[in-house]
Amino acid sequence: MARSLGRECGTPRSGLGKGGPPRPQGPQARCTLGRRCTVSEKCRCPRPGWTMTPPRNVVKIAIQMRDAIPQLIQLDQAKPLAAVLKEVCDAWSLTHSERYALQFADGHRRYITENNRAEIKNGSILCLSTAPDLEAEQLLGGLQSDSREGCREALRHLVPLASDMTFAREVISRNGLQRLGTIIEDGDDLGEVLALSLRAFLELMEHGVVSWETLSIPFVRKVVCYVNMNLMDASVPPLALGLLESVTLSSPALGQLVKSEVPLDRLLVHLQVMNQQLQTKAMALLTALLQGASPVERKHMLDYLWQRNLRQFIYKNIIHSAAPMGDEMAHHLYVLQALTLGLLEPRMRTPLDPYSQEQREQLQVLRQAAFEVEGESSGTGLSADRRRSLCAREFRKLGFSNSNPAQDLERVPPGLLALDNMLYFSRNAPSAYSRFVLENSSREDKHECPFARGSIQLTVLLCELLHVGEPCSETAQDFSPMFFGQDQSFHELFCVGIQLLNKTWKEMRATQEDFDKVMQVVREQLARTLALKPTSLELFRTKVNALTYGEVLRLRQTERLHQEGTLAPPILELREKLKPELMGLIRQQRLLRLCEGTLFRKISSRRRQDKLWFCCLSPNHKLLQYGDMEEGASPPTLESLPEQLPVADMRALLTGKDCPHVREKGSGKQNKDLYELAFSISYDRGEEEAYLNFIAPSKREFYLWTDGLSALLGSPMSSEQTRLDLEQLLTMETKLRLLELENVPIPEQPPPVPPPPTNFNFCYDCSIAEP
């Protein structure tokens, strides 16, 4: 056989010294060094030698069973699973193989079916267990046991299995949800049995087989009772709160029932308990109730919560807690901040009504607060025309572009919100307001800073920076601690910003023509300071005032030098030569980051974020290993991760709207954040194409993972982060190379090469030996 194969592939019939070992024929022939050589060519590998690669649909696995010696078998994926089970049972002398099933031994011990058997890889460890239908029947029978201990034991076995879809379908088809609901409604045991029942119910409902809207009103009311009563078992209230949160987000009708049955005071009581899990679930239900309320109801609810000092409690006991804040709590604080700022949207969208008596009076109050003395002394005894002319002139001094200020405030946004800000500043900082207006009234016309025009533009700027009126992101955690440290935070932020505008105006020696330039600088000052997340308004005021116009110019110059560098042709040529080496360095860093691993969140159809999974690259860069984990747990070891995806099976990297798990979510504005952070890996699973889906925790992690996966696939790393890192490394390396040329001008063109000499008699003949 070897000789015939050798003759077919062109190798000598005998003698390994010349042609090497014979080459097998067919598509499965591979060189021992991993190179796939065709039959028609000679093997050009350094040490030729051939082996037969095993078929791709055969994997080597271990199967274990309690009190039995494990079996090491080669699993043919093309063989029906029932036939595989029959062979395994026969090896252990077990009859009725249909009563057994295979499970993954690691992780959540998921049952293996024809749909997920492609996930079995070489080296997988499986275990033989009871079939899911029999297991479900047995456990549900235990739930009806007269013995409380028997019911508790059945629930202990049911909870870890409930996360498996195959087992969950069997339980649900046998009215398992109704049996669990009966235990929850009866409430005979308010301890471990109730906690296990709630946990199992949540796990089963999480699969989406049964809609939350099918829950009965008595059942929901009973769960509400567990939230409202003082229970000895601390594990029950968080589970009850989590269940009510899912009900509120999924069913508007039942959400109204929860809103009417759960007092806000009770949620405040749960928030004050020094238990992070309970606080997080209470905050989750609170934000869910606020999101489901109408704008009017939401305003009443938030006003009541602020009156009960919720803001102060969050600031002192959650934000400044000794324990680190979890990602889920950070998201709920972001939602609470966004909903509170969203109360400003109606005023932002409403233009000033020139026929409204109340709004005209507010404008007059604003004018009189600035020119009260002057108006009283010069307005007495004047005719109506003269008084109108005086008012128009004073409104001009206030910085309105038109003599009729209503025309300036017709712009939407900011609408009436700008007027609210100006009134708040004049009433709460009267001395600063008067100083601002009078100081600019005494300047030359071209150098005065217009208070009203600046206030209108500043209000628009703050609405953009704080995302007022925009829908809540479903994964963002970008809340500002300063928001919870100050009443009327938006108006207080305006007071700091308007004084910053006047300060920057003077530093820039600006004129009316420079208004847009000044606003760009103010925007940069506010954005840079907000990005630092100051914890209080005073700290924000200190930092933003320290960011002077000169400092902004210095930062811009520094960033420009980092980004642009020099454009001389020799430097550009040097940069091009350095790029391959530096791209290799970036690639190495990306792969090391993948080896460290990242904690991802699972986003279900209701955008719940309470489930985590960890994924990392193996040190030899051949496997992606991943698995579920609990929040707050330390990073798992490679050996504890149950799932593996060979890099060789990966086909392509998908991002954004091309990802299958994003396409299923729709195309609404609320999914924009998912588009920006979503990516998927398509890979071979048998003869089908499967996907491993990710939602990155941040934009930076998105860039690092997509770059690393692109490197594994042999594709170029084209992310924005790669561009920035490459530019930074090029700039730094170029400067190091040019240190010796400091203050030496580099010409745009290379010096001319002189013409060759007329003769070469000056050349030394090295062949002549010296005497």
Side-chain angles (χ1 to χ4, degrees):
M1 178 65 182
R3 292 182 177 180
S4 62
L5 289 174
R7 290 197 299 273
E8 289 178 7
C9 69
T11 56
R13 175 176 297 184
S14 62
L16 295 179
K18 293 184 178 181
R23 180 184 309 171
Q25 184 180 10
Q28 295 298 328
R30 274 187 183 271
C31 171
T32 54
L33 298 183
R35 179 176 177 271
R36 185 186 293 275
C37 301
T38 61
V39 173
S40 61
E41 66 178 354
K42 295 284 186 178
C43 178
R44 294 185 294 270
C45 298
R47 297 187 305 275
W50 291 84
T51 59
M52 294 297 293
T53 302
R56 294 187 62 181
N57 59 347
V58 174
V59 291
K60 297 179 179 180
I61 61 172
I63 301 179
Q64 58 188 16
M65 185 180 68
R66 181 179 300 178
D67 300 329
I69 299 175
Q71 300 183 37
L72 300 177
I73 68 170
Q74 292 191 15
L75 173 63
D76 186 357
Q77 293 285 34
K79 185 180 295 186
L81 201 57
V84 175
L85 274 171
K86 181 71 168 56
E87 294 177 359
V88 171
C89 290
D90 289 345
W92 277 321
S93 301
L94 299 175
T95 58
H96 303 291
S97 62
E98 67 277 1
R99 298 180 180 178
Y100 296 92
L102 292 175
Q103 285 179 303
F104 288 104
D106 301 328
H108 294 286
R109 301 180 69 88
R110 291 181 299 119
Y111 282 99
I112 296 172
T113 64
E114 294 290 352
N115 295 327
N116 66 2
R117 63 182 298 176
E119 299 177 19
I120 303 175
K121 305 299 180 183
N122 278 315
S124 296
I125 301 176
L126 311 182
C127 62
L128 188 68
S129 61
T130 308
D133 54 344
L134 297 178
E135 187 73 21
E137 191 71 38
Q138 179 182 351
L139 292 179
L140 291 178
L143 295 183
Q144 296 178 323
S145 172
D146 295 334
S147 167
R148 181 170 297 180
E149 186 59 35
C151 180
R152 181 182 292 109
E153 194 64 27
L155 285 169
R156 287 173 180 170
H157 286 85
L158 177 62
V159 168
L161 292 173
S163 60
D164 181 74
M165 173 62 83
T166 304
F167 178 78
R169 289 184 182 275
E170 297 292 343
V171 173
I172 293 172
S173 66
R174 289 167 171 76
N175 298 322
L177 283 173
Q178 287 80 353
R179 297 187 188 182
L180 289 172
T182 302
I183 296 175
I184 294 171
E185 285 191 62
D186 291 344
D188 296 334
D189 187 335
L190 299 181
E192 185 183 4
V193 170
L194 178 59
L196 291 171
S197 301
L198 287 169
R199 190 181 300 277
F201 193 91
L202 276 168
E203 289 286 354
L204 293 173
M205 291 295 294
E206 198 61 33
H207 294 288
V209 178
V210 179
S211 172
W212 289 92
E213 296 182 351
T214 60
L215 299 184
S216 65
I217 292 178
F219 175 82
V220 175
R221 282 183 171 157
K222 189 63 178 180
V223 177
V224 168
C225 290
Y226 298 139
V227 171
N228 292 336
M229 67 172 57
N230 295 321
L231 298 174
M232 297 299 293
D233 193 333
S235 61
V236 172
L239 294 168
L241 288 166
L243 194 151
L244 293 181
E245 179 206 0
S246 296
V247 169
T248 304
L249 292 174
S250 304
S251 173
L254 293 177
Q256 287 297 320
L257 174 64
V258 175
K259 177 176 173 294
S260 62
E261 297 282 342
V262 179
L264 293 179
D265 287 331
R266 187 60 190 170
L267 293 180
L268 293 176
V269 170
H270 288 309
L271 282 171
Q272 292 173 5
V273 177
M274 291 296 107
N275 180 325
Q276 276 197 336
Q277 185 184 14
L278 182 60
Q279 287 179 339
T280 301
K281 295 302 180 183
M283 186 64 71
L285 179 57
L286 179 60
T287 55
L289 292 173
L290 288 171
Q291 287 177 288
S294 65
V296 176
E297 291 176 332
R298 187 180 302 153
K299 184 177 186 309
H300 290 324
M301 292 171 67
L302 287 171
D303 288 343
Y304 180 78
L305 291 171
W306 295 154
Q307 290 173 6
R308 296 301 306 272
N309 299 323
L310 174 63
R311 177 190 63 77
Q312 292 89 330
F313 178 81
I314 291 174
Y315 185 73
K316 293 179 180 178
N317 298 292
I318 296 180
I319 295 178
H320 291 285
S321 172
M325 182 184 301
D327 292 342
E328 190 176 354
M329 176 61 82
H331 171 70
H332 294 312
L333 292 182
Y334 155 80
V335 173
L336 183 60
Q337 173 183 305
L339 293 175
T340 306
L341 291 173
L343 298 178
L344 302 172
E345 184 178 6
R347 299 290 289 179
M348 183 183 71
R349 305 289 184 191
T350 305
L352 187 138
D353 183 6
Y355 302 103
S356 170
Q357 180 66 28
E358 178 186 1
Q359 294 172 15
R360 288 203 302 268
E361 290 176 357
Q362 288 176 340
L363 286 171
Q364 292 301 324
V365 168
L366 192 65
R367 178 187 64 83
Q368 292 170 4
F371 306 105
E372 183 177 1
V373 177
E374 182 180 350
E376 286 182 350
S377 61
S378 59
T380 56
L382 296 178
S383 63
D385 292 340
R386 178 62 177 163
R387 189 175 294 108
R388 280 196 296 271
S389 176
L390 178 63
C391 289
R393 185 166 59 113
E394 290 177 344
F395 278 124
R396 287 275 189 179
K397 288 184 178 180
L398 269 177
F400 287 98
S401 302
N402 302 280
S403 56
N404 181 7
Q407 297 177 3
D408 292 59
L409 294 170
E410 287 177 351
R411 173 186 172 187
V412 174
L416 292 176
L417 186 57
L419 178 59
D420 295 341
N421 278 335
M422 289 187 282
L423 285 171
Y424 185 89
F425 182 51
S426 65
R427 291 168 179 168
N428 291 272
S431 58
Y433 171 66
S434 300
R435 185 166 59 251
F436 187 111
V437 176
L438 297 177
E439 180 181 311
N440 286 281
S441 299
S442 61
R443 294 180 187 171
E444 300 179 15
D445 289 343
K446 64 177 183 178
H447 286 289
E448 63 180 7
C449 178
F451 171 75
R453 183 185 176 191
S455 298
I456 294 171
Q457 190 60 35
L458 179 62
T459 303
V460 174
L461 191 155
L462 289 175
C463 290
E464 293 175 355
L465 291 176
L466 298 175
H467 309 289
V468 176
E470 297 182 12
C472 294
S473 166
E474 294 168 352
T475 56
Q477 305 167 11
D478 189 23
F479 75 95
S480 174
M482 176 182 62
F483 173 83
F484 297 97
Q486 183 70 45
D487 287 324
Q488 302 292 338
S489 57
F490 185 83
H491 297 313
E492 290 289 344
L493 198 58
F494 170 83
C495 293
V496 175
I498 196 65
Q499 296 177 76
L500 175 68
L501 171 62
N502 189 39
K503 173 176 171 289
T504 304
W505 186 281
K506 291 186 289 185
E507 291 173 351
M508 296 178 65
R509 303 179 183 273
T511 62
Q512 294 291 333
E513 291 77 12
D514 300 322
F515 180 81
D516 291 337
K517 294 181 181 178
V518 176
M519 292 308 303
Q520 290 177 2
V521 174
V522 171
R523 181 189 188 95
E524 188 171 346
Q525 290 170 318
L526 293 174
R528 287 180 182 272
T529 309
L530 285 172
L532 299 175
K533 294 186 178 298
T535 56
S536 67
L537 183 69
E538 287 305 317
L539 186 58
F540 175 83
R541 192 195 313 271
T542 302
K543 289 183 177 294
V544 80
N545 286 329
L547 194 60
T548 62
Y549 175 58
E551 183 66 14
V552 170
L553 290 180
R554 189 189 67 80
L555 291 173
R556 286 179 176 178
Q557 180 69 15
T558 302
E559 293 171 357
R560 189 180 300 114
L561 290 175
H562 282 304
Q563 294 175 1
E564 296 178 2
T566 178
L567 298 179
I571 305 303
L572 294 178
E573 184 178 350
L574 174 62
R575 288 164 62 92
E576 288 299 320
K577 290 183 177 180
L578 292 173
K579 274 186 180 180
E581 178 184 354
L582 297 180
M583 283 299 294
L585 185 63
I586 294 175
R587 179 183 184 277
Q588 182 181 359
Q589 187 270 336
R590 297 295 192 263
L591 294 178
L592 287 175
R593 182 65 187 87
L594 264 61
C595 291
E596 292 176 4
T598 300
L599 194 62
F600 296 94
R601 288 197 170 271
K602 292 185 177 179
I603 307 296
S604 66
S605 58
R606 295 184 311 283
R607 304 298 198 271
R608 290 176 59 88
Q609 303 182 50
D610 52 346
K611 289 194 173 183
L612 303 171
W613 67 291
F614 185 84
C615 184
C616 67
L617 179 67
S618 62
N620 60 5
H621 300 171
K622 291 185 178 181
L623 294 172
L624 277 180
Q625 299 183 253
Y626 57 96
D628 294 341
M629 67 175 293
E630 297 294 332
E631 185 170 4
S634 58
T637 60
L638 291 176
E639 294 77 12
S640 64
L641 295 174
E643 309 292 341
Q644 293 182 348
L645 171 59
V647 173
D649 291 346
M650 292 164 48
R651 285 189 185 178
L653 174 66
L654 307 176
T655 60
K657 297 183 179 180
D658 296 330
C659 298
H661 62 309
V662 172
R663 289 199 300 265
E664 297 170 359
K665 307 298 182 186
S667 57
K669 290 176 64 178
Q670 64 271 22
N671 294 315
K672 181 181 178 181
D673 56 299
L674 292 182
Y675 296 153
E676 296 176 350
L677 300 176
F679 61 98
S680 301
I681 304 170
S682 65
Y683 62 94
D684 294 327
R685 187 169 64 185
E687 298 181 356
E688 299 178 354
E689 183 179 17
Y691 300 90
L692 183 61
N693 301 317
F694 300 77
I695 298 291
S698 64
K699 199 67 178 176
R700 175 174 173 79
E701 288 292 333
F702 172 84
Y703 288 145
L704 295 178
W705 271 84
T706 52
D707 284 343
L709 294 173
S710 297
L712 290 174
L713 291 169
S715 303
M717 298 182 294
S718 56
S719 73
E720 179 68 13
Q721 188 64 40
T722 295
R723 188 188 67 79
L724 295 175
D725 291 347
L726 178 61
E727 188 63 32
Q728 183 177 5
L729 290 173
L730 281 173
T731 302
M732 183 169 56
E733 186 68 20
T734 303
K735 289 182 177 179
L736 290 174
R737 298 286 183 98
L738 299 178
L739 278 177
E740 296 181 358
L741 297 180
E742 190 174 1
N743 299 324
V744 176
I746 300 176
E748 293 289 330
Q749 299 294 333
V753 178
T758 56
N759 62 74
F760 294 87
N761 295 334
F762 58 89
C763 293
Y764 180 79
D765 189 0
C766 298
S767 63
I768 301 177
E770 294 184 0

